[in-house]
């Protein structure tokens, strides 16, 4: 029997993206630069997170024309963002032939209580998480891939580090638990018990976990890989820097050879200035994206 | 038997897990000089454009061709199938290894919403169906005279062999079925090591030895 949209097919695409860099792009030219640099996928957007942050107002799904144009010019997978809980935006993205939907806190949430029922779709979803409980709730809703939230549009990796350490640390803690401790752990994590038990048994998330939210340099990408990320998303960090093609290529190489400091030194040379970056403590708490 | 998995990008771990289950030693190959120490190489699933650019950056194109010329068996899954092909239907300018006399069509089965799994008939693996997982998968548009078609779907070639080269459009490493990897280790790479740790090998793979197939050296010499 032939089946489409199975969990294996959805998580399988994320497995194929491992060790790679997914880049935010806002037009055809940027998409070509990303593909040429060796991106494993592009995230099609109207504005990168730094500009969304600066513009304020309500951020919504991108214009279908932008997405369609990008789908046409690249052969690598194309992802696009829908608002949290906005299942109609997700339906539109699925109809456009997008390869992955990012139910993303970078856009203004459409539902402050519920996320999208991702099992109802053939297209796979990636969702952000700050900790293991959040990751497992999203997986319980059908997410086929997780990314740390970090703090998008800041060029500051500190929150991505915090979230990756939270997730891997909580996984290690579960791995050391007795079976009779797992129900309480599930209660504390506010996560589905079956998934908590699976993580405790395997010592790993059941889906691929990328890092996102504030990565701006090759060293940032390698740092997240050494901390256990399966791959990285770079949003504003590339096209808000001085020399996007060179930086994009350098980040791809750093993600592949994240354990080779000599090579990291080599690829970090002469990239021009990275994006300016924001200190997290200077951002008012209500403007932080990660708590959405 | 020691087999490398090209570890620049893609589902490297899944192939390593399969090799371990078959009792073979696996090596994550990140630098060309590591090719000296392996008897076979698996090019995993991933993004073929990305892997293509990385093999070019790090001198893998000549290194893999040269090492294959001295007998290293190569198995490509999905992106790996594209990379070992002589050419692709669409000109993308991406570097290819050009080892196998096949023409690949990228994303031939469609985009992600068209990705699918299905039971395949693969005679060399024995009578039981093989669950094929196809993810934005290519197919083999045409094959040269020395290429043996091992499986088709709707008339399209999705698995083929040429001497010590093997290509699948699907991902056996995403299943629990080890038969394709055993076939690569036992038949394509041409050694019969570690049989004691693969007790069920008798049922599937070895029955295929009844069929005649070109020897690795004969197939290699047919390639320009």
């Amino acid at each position: 029997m032939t089946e489409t949209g199975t969990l294996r097919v959805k998580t399988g695409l994320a497995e194929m993206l491992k060790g790679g860099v997914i880049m935010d792009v806002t037009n055809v030219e940027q998409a070509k630069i990303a593909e040429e640099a060796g991106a494993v996928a592009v995230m099609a957007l109207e504005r990168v997170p730094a500009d969304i942050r600066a513009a304020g107002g309500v951020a919504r799904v991108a214009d279908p024309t932008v997405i369609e144009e990008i789908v046409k010019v690249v052969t690598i997978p194309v992802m696009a963002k829908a608002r949290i809980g906005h299942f109609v935006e997700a339906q539109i993205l699925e109809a456009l032939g997008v390869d992955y939907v990012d139910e993303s806190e970078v856009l203004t949430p459409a539902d402050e209580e519920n996320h999208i029922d991702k099992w109802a779709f053939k297209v796979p979803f990636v969702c952000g998480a700050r900790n293991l409980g959040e990751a497992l709730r999203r997986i319980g809703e059908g997410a086929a891939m997780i990314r740390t939230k970090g703090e998008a549009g800041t060029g500051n990796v500190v929150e991505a580090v915090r979230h990756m350490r939270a997730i891997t640390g909580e996984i290690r803690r579960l791995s050391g638990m007795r079976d009779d401790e797992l129900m309480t752990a599930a209660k504390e994590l506010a996560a589905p018990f079956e998934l908590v038990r699976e993580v405790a048994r395997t010592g790993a998330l059941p889906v691929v976990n990328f890092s996102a939210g504030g990565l701006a340099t090759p060293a940032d990408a390698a740092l997240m890989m050494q901390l256990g990320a399966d791959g990285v998303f770079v949003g504003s960090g590339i096209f808000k820097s001085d020399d996007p093609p060179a930086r994009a290529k350098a980040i791809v190489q750093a993600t592949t050879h994240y354990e080779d400091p000599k090579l990291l030194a080599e690829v970090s040379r002469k990239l021009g200035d990275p994006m300016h970056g924001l200190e997290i403590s200077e951002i008012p708490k209500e403007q932080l994206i990660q708590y959405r | 038997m020691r087999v490398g998995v090209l570890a620049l990008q893609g589902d490297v771990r899944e192939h390593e897990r399969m090799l371990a289950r078959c009792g073979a030693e696996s090596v994550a190959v990140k630098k060309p000089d590591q090719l000296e120490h392996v008897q076979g190489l698996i090019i995993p699933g991933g993004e073929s454009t990305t892997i293509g650019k990385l093999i070019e950056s790090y001198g893998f194109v000549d290194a893999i061709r040269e090492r294959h010329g001295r007998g290293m068996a190569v198995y490509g899954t999905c992106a790996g199938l594209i990379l070992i092909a002589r050419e692709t239907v669409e000109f993308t300018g991406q570097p290819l290894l050009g080892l196998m006399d096949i023409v690949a069509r990228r994303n031939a089965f469609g985009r992600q919403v068209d990705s699918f799994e299905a039971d395949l008939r693969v005679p060399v693996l024995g009578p039981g169906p093989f669950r094929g997982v196809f993810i934005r998968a290519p197919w083999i548009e045409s094959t040269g005279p020395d290429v043996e078609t091992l499986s088709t779907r709707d008339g399209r070639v999705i698995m083929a062999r040429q001497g010590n080269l093997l290509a699948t459009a699907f991902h056996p490493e995403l299943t629990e079925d080890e038969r394709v990897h055993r076939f690569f280790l036992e038949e394509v790479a041409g050694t019969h090591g570690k049989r004691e740790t693969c007790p069920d090998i008798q049922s599937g793979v070895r029955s295929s030895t009844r069929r005649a197939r070109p020897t690795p050296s004969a197939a290699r010499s047919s390639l320009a």
Side-chain angles (χ1 to χ4, degrees):
Chain A
M1 198 176 87
T2 299
E3 295 175 280
T4 56
T6 62
L7 184 59
R8 180 152 61 182
V9 159
K10 288 174 169 179
T11 57
L13 178 57
E15 302 287 353
M16 299 311 143
L17 302 177
K18 279 190 303 203
V21 183
I22 300 165
M23 301 182 191
D24 279 5
V25 298
T26 58
N27 56 47
V28 165
E29 290 70 37
Q30 290 182 354
K32 284 185 188 159
I33 289 171
E35 185 172 47
E36 183 57 35
V40 287
V42 291
M43 178 75 72
L45 293 160
E46 261 179 3
R47 284 181 290 205
V48 295
D51 290 336
I52 291 174
R53 188 180 278 287
V58 175
R60 309 180 178 90
V61 71
D63 185 324
T65 311
V66 172
I67 295 168
E68 270 177 348
E69 283 173 357
I70 291 170
V71 163
K72 250 178 246 162
V73 298
V74 296
T75 62
I76 57 180
V78 177
M79 302 184 165
K81 291 184 192 291
R83 282 184 270 176
I84 290 173
H86 206 315
F87 50 85
V88 174
E89 285 189 350
Q91 290 165 3
I92 290 170
L93 293 176
E94 185 175 56
L96 288 171
V98 158
D99 296 298
Y100 240 93
V101 173
D102 183 2
E103 186 181 17
S104 178
E105 69 282 2
V106 169
L107 305 182
T108 309
D111 188 330
E112 294 186 337
E113 303 294 324
N114 308 294
H115 280 67
I116 297 171
D117 171 18
K118 293 165 274 287
W119 297 111
F121 289 79
K122 266 190 187 174
V123 66
F125 281 72
V126 54
C127 286
R130 282 167 301 148
N131 52 52
L132 182 61
E134 196 172 8
L136 295 181
R137 289 196 294 280
R138 298 295 86 80
I139 295 166
E141 293 157 359
M145 179 177 182
I146 292 294
R147 56 171 174 77
T148 59
K149 283 183 168 175
E151 187 59 33
T154 62
N156 188 338
V157 79
V158 66
E159 296 300 301
V161 168
R162 190 190 317 282
H163 300 161
M164 186 57 71
R165 282 196 185 274
I167 291 172
T168 54
E170 285 161 342
I171 291 173
R172 280 196 302 274
R173 195 172 68 88
L174 281 187
S175 302
M177 283 187 178
R178 287 162 50 99
D179 283 354
D180 56 12
E181 295 167 337
L182 294 176
M183 185 56 86
T184 300
K187 190 178 84 180
E188 286 166 3
L189 289 167
F193 175 70
E194 291 303 326
L195 289 174
V196 168
R197 194 163 60 177
E198 184 181 343
V199 170
R201 196 178 296 143
T202 61
L205 276 186
V207 303
V208 163
N209 182 23
F210 270 45
S211 181
L215 286 70
T217 67
D220 287 350
L223 172 67
M224 299 317 302
M225 294 298 287
Q226 289 198 27
L227 285 172
D230 290 314
V232 300
F233 284 84
V234 184
S236 319
I238 290 169
F239 289 102
K240 284 283 158 190
S241 73
D242 270 5
D243 187 351
R247 184 164 295 268
K249 192 168 179 218
I251 292 176
V252 168
Q253 303 210 11
T255 304
T256 295
H257 291 288
Y258 62 92
E259 289 174 312
D260 184 342
K262 274 190 187 158
L263 190 137
L264 294 174
E266 209 47 54
V267 303
S268 299
R269 282 177 211 277
K270 295 188 178 157
L271 298 178
D273 284 337
M275 72 178 283
H276 177 62
L278 294 171
E279 162 58 37
I280 305 294
S281 62
E282 288 169 7
I283 304 170
K285 181 134 197 213
E286 66 276 9
Q287 287 177 24
L288 288 174
I289 285 170
Q290 59 179 288
Y291 297 108
R292 289 173 168 176
Chain B
M1 175 168 195
R2 190 186 288 161
V3 175
V5 182
L6 189 66
L8 298 175
Q9 193 273 312
D11 69 334
V12 178
R13 279 205 300 270
E14 286 64 29
H15 279 290
E16 291 182 317
R17 182 183 64 106
M18 274 297 191
L19 290 170
R21 284 172 54 155
C22 294
E25 189 185 341
S26 71
V27 181
V29 174
K30 289 205 162 201
K31 299 279 167 68
D33 56 17
Q34 292 174 278
L35 294 172
E36 282 309 314
H37 312 293
V38 299
Q39 290 138 285
L41 179 70
I42 294 178
I43 303 180
E47 273 310 310
S48 63
T49 43
T50 305
I51 301 176
K53 286 176 196 309
L54 291 167
I55 60 175
E56 202 176 37
S57 296
Y58 297 108
F60 269 109
V61 176
D62 290 339
I64 292 172
R65 283 179 186 156
E66 193 274 334
R67 185 69 188 83
H68 171 253
R70 286 188 287 117
M72 179 179 72
V74 182
Y75 170 30
T77 55
C78 195
L81 175 152
I82 294 166
L83 288 163
I84 65 175
R86 174 165 56 79
E87 58 183 287
T88 58
V89 173
E90 46 301 85
F91 177 77
T92 56
Q94 79 177 71
L96 298 176
L97 294 166
L99 302 177
M100 193 166 177
D101 194 9
I102 56 174
V103 178
R105 182 182 286 274
R106 302 185 55 197
N107 302 341
F109 286 103
R111 303 191 66 84
Q112 175 62 16
V113 287
D114 309 307
S115 292
F116 64 98
E117 41 183 289
D119 287 336
L120 308 175
R121 214 177 67 80
V122 188
V124 291
L125 301 181
F130 191 92
R131 192 67 174 169
V133 181
F134 294 77
I135 295 174
R136 288 171 46 95
W139 67 48
I140 298 171
E141 186 88 4
S142 62
T143 57
D146 297 320
V147 177
E148 184 186 2
T149 295
L150 300 181
S151 187
T152 60
R153 178 178 166 81
D154 301 334
R156 303 294 184 175
V157 179
I158 50 166
M159 178 172 181
R161 177 204 183 156
Q162 177 183 352
N164 62 353
L165 299 166
L166 180 67
T168 61
F170 51 95
H171 294 280
E173 75 280 10
L174 294 183
T175 71
E176 299 301 314
D177 193 334
E178 298 148 20
R179 285 179 292 160
V180 173
H181 286 79
R182 290 188 196 286
F183 177 72
F184 176 65
L185 293 169
E186 298 285 323
E187 300 295 328
V188 179
T191 62
H192 296 257
K194 304 271 185 184
R195 203 171 299 157
E196 68 280 5
T197 58
C198 297
D200 53 339
I201 199 106
Q202 306 291 341
S203 58
V205 173
R206 292 202 60 225
S207 61
S208 66
T209 53
R210 277 179 270 127
R211 297 185 56 180
R213 57 186 76 257
T215 65
S217 58
R220 264 205 313 283
S221 63
S222 72
L223 272 178

